[in-house]
Amino acid sequence: SGFLLLSVLLSASAWADEYTSEEQRLLEAYHSGELLRLHILADNDAPEAQQLKLAVRNAILTRFAAELNEASTADEAFARLCSLLPQWSAADTVQRAGFDLPVSAEAGVLSLPEKRYGQVVLPEGDYRGLRITLGSGEGRNWWCILFPQLCLALADEE
C-alpha cells in the first residue's frame, strides 16, 4: 500500500504541474471555500449588448478590485463587496454608455451552473457572489472569480 500511495502522490504532483498558477489558485480557493464569483448577464447577443456587458465588468473591476484585493479571506471580501455595492450603480455605467435598460445587482449565495475556467471546472452549486443582470439577461454571460482576484487571468467567454 506504500507503493500505491507513492504512485498516487507522484501522479497528483505531475497533474498539478499541468495547471497554470492561476488555475492552481482557483482550485485551492474552491477546495477551501475561499471563493467569490461574478456573473454578468448581457441583455442579448447583439454586439452593442456584449460591449455593454464588458463595460459593466470593467466598471466593477475598477470599483471593487482594490478593496477585494486587500481582503485576506472570502468572508472579508464578501463583506466588503456587500458594504460597497449600495454606493455603486451598474445603471450609471449603462446610462453613460447611452443605454436605457433595467439593471439589477444581487449579492448573496447564488445558484450557478457548472463553469470552466481554463482547465478547472467548478461544479454546479451554490456560491457566494455578485450577479448583474442587464435588461432581459438573455445574452451571453460573463463569468469570473472576484476573490481570489482571477477575473482577467481566467476569464473565458462562452
Side-chain angles (χ1 to χ4, degrees):
S1 78
F3 174 74
L4 179 62
L5 178 62
L6 181 60
S7 65
V8 168
L9 288 174
L10 288 175
S11 64
S13 68
W15 173 71
D17 290 342
E18 296 173 21
Y19 288 110
T20 66
S21 61
E22 290 87 4
E23 290 166 342
Q24 281 282 21
R25 283 181 62 209
L26 176 56
L27 279 171
E28 289 164 14
Y30 171 72
H31 289 298
S32 66
E34 290 291 308
L35 204 56
L36 191 58
R37 295 179 66 183
L38 172 63
H39 184 200
I40 304 173
L41 293 90
D43 184 39
N44 56 53
D45 286 341
E48 303 78 26
Q50 291 297 309
Q51 286 295 322
L52 180 61
K53 171 188 73 179
L54 298 178
V56 169
R57 173 208 60 195
N58 293 343
I60 290 168
L61 297 181
T62 299
R63 176 61 190 94
F64 299 117
E67 286 90 345
L68 295 181
N69 208 28
E70 289 169 9
S72 54
T73 66
D75 286 343
E76 187 183 340
F78 187 65
R80 286 174 185 233
L81 177 69
C82 289
S83 71
L84 293 167
L85 197 55
Q87 304 161 29
W88 179 81
S89 169
D92 292 345
T93 302
V94 169
Q95 289 168 350
R96 276 196 303 278
F99 289 85
D100 182 23
L101 287 174
V103 177
S104 70
E106 133 189 46
V109 176
L110 310 172
S111 229
L112 299 175
E114 179 180 282
K115 184 68 189 147
R116 173 179 292 279
Y117 295 90
Q119 302 175 76
V120 177
V121 176
L122 295 182
E124 178 179 341
D126 294 337
Y127 296 86
R128 282 182 296 182
L130 171 63
R131 176 182 288 135
I132 306 284
T133 304
L134 304 172
S136 68
E138 298 295 318
R140 284 195 318 273
N141 299 227
W142 174 267
W143 298 88
C144 74
I145 307 298
L146 283 173
F147 186 89
Q149 216 160 32
L150 296 169
C151 255
L152 297 176
L154 290 177
D156 189 13
E157 273 292 334
E158 288 180 349

